[in-house]
Amino acid sequence: MIQCSSACCGGATIITLKELDRFYKIFPITLGFRKLHPFNDFHKAYIEDFAIKYKSFYIIGDFIAGNRLRKRCRMLKEALCSLHNKNKPLQCSVVPFSVTFPENLQDIVIVERKKGAFRTCKGFDDNAPSVWNGEFTDPILKENFYELRQNLVFQRNIVERLFFKCENSPFFRKFITEEQGFFEIPIISDFIDEVCNIAQVDKFEFVKMQRSLFVKELTVGGVKNSLFIEALNVLDGVKN
Ligand code: SF4
């Protein structure tokens, strides 16, 4: 049996605001920002619909679901996803492809993936079935890819405002000066109402569930996750 999770299911995955209603009871949720350097003008035009433009950079903002301090996702049971084929996040359904590159440039993504954690992925074996040949040949994969892209376009406005809200933080400034880098924050309290409204989830239920998940996930290998401490402080400050 192929343990298909062995390469890709790390401690955290990515979800979109439109999926938050399905996952806020399962994963602690934070926000992550990463820089993306467009490969060419076509790629640049493609990401302009959902990336944040800051100075000369393009930045992708994502809702991070899980705990990046953990090696494995909390939904992984006996090396397989316990959500498989039911409620799996769209991101997990398109991996190892990436929606931050257009469909016809996915070969660039795959070349990069093969250099990193995915180098042992059985899906890259010569006899593995092909799902991309200049375009996606698997209709479900294609559908998930474009739904995920649409979700990123949909959430761009609020993600951009969340990003700029951090402009004065020292972590933000460090992130901006680095070539690559990653910047992760809790969902800022001023935005929790709006996030819950858009995602159509009850704010009190959201705060209660997220609080309990952050507490459960707070310590990994004896190390307290400082981001989760911050997230708990934010949730404690949310007004009724
Ligand atoms: S939700 Fe499932 S597919 Fe996604 S990272 Fe977790 S275990 Fe893997």
Side-chain angles (χ1 to χ4, degrees), residues 82-143:
S82 53
L83 302 174
H84 208 59
N85 292 338
K86 283 189 282 174
N87 253 338
K88 200 164 158 170
L90 283 168
Q91 167 71 18
C92 301
S93 309
V94 303
V95 159
F97 299 100
S98 171
V99 79
T100 59
F101 277 70
E103 183 177 352
N104 62 353
L105 293 182
Q106 291 298 314
D107 48 341
I108 298 171
V109 176
I110 295 305
V111 167
E112 281 307 305
R113 297 281 203 222
K114 280 166 122 173
K115 290 186 204 157
F118 287 78
R119 66 189 174 280
T120 55
C121 176
K122 303 272 194 302
F124 296 141
D125 284 357
D126 289 345
N127 342 338
S130 165
V131 290
W132 183 89
N133 185 13
E135 61 180 332
F136 294 118
T137 51
D138 177 319
I140 296 171
L141 173 60
K142 193 175 185 108
E143 191 183 319

Side-chain angles (χ1 to χ4, degrees), residues 36-177:
L36 183 65
H37 303 286
F39 175 71
N40 57 21
D41 284 348
F42 177 64
H43 186 197
K44 194 191 281 186
Y46 170 85
I47 61 172
E48 272 174 353
D49 286 343
F50 55 86
I52 302 162
K53 186 84 174 72
Y54 185 81
K55 300 191 173 163
S56 58
F57 305 116
Y58 287 94
I59 289 151
I60 307 293
D62 293 303
F63 290 89
I64 309 290
N67 185 346
R68 296 196 319 115
L69 290 190
R70 280 200 186 284
K71 289 208 172 73
R72 313 308 280 147
C73 175
R74 66 199 314 272
M75 285 297 102
L76 209 49
K77 306 280 181 265
E78 294 169 16
L80 287 174
C81 177
S82 53
L83 302 174
H84 208 59
N85 292 338
K86 283 189 282 174
N87 253 338
K88 200 164 158 170
L90 283 168
Q91 167 71 18
C92 301
S93 309
V94 303
V95 159
F97 299 100
S98 171
V99 79
T100 59
F101 277 70
E103 183 177 352
N104 62 353
L105 293 182
Q106 291 298 314
D107 48 341
I108 298 171
V109 176
I110 295 305
V111 167
E112 281 307 305
R113 297 281 203 222
K114 280 166 122 173
K115 290 186 204 157
F118 287 78
R119 66 189 174 280
T120 55
C121 176
K122 303 272 194 302
F124 296 141
D125 284 357
D126 289 345
N127 342 338
S130 165
V131 290
W132 183 89
N133 185 13
E135 61 180 332
F136 294 118
T137 51
D138 177 319
I140 296 171
L141 173 60
K142 193 175 185 108
E143 191 183 319
N144 288 338
F145 180 91
Y146 284 104
E147 187 180 345
L148 180 54
R149 185 183 192 282
Q150 265 315 106
N151 287 3
L152 291 185
V153 174
F154 173 82
Q155 71 188 30
R156 180 225 170 112
N157 177 280
I158 185 165
V159 168
E160 186 170 60
R161 284 184 287 118
L162 276 154
F163 178 74
F164 284 110
K165 195 81 182 173
C166 306
E167 215 171 358
N168 295 324
S169 129
F171 298 113
F172 181 101
R173 288 198 290 271
K174 183 168 180 288
F175 168 73
I176 289 304
T177 53

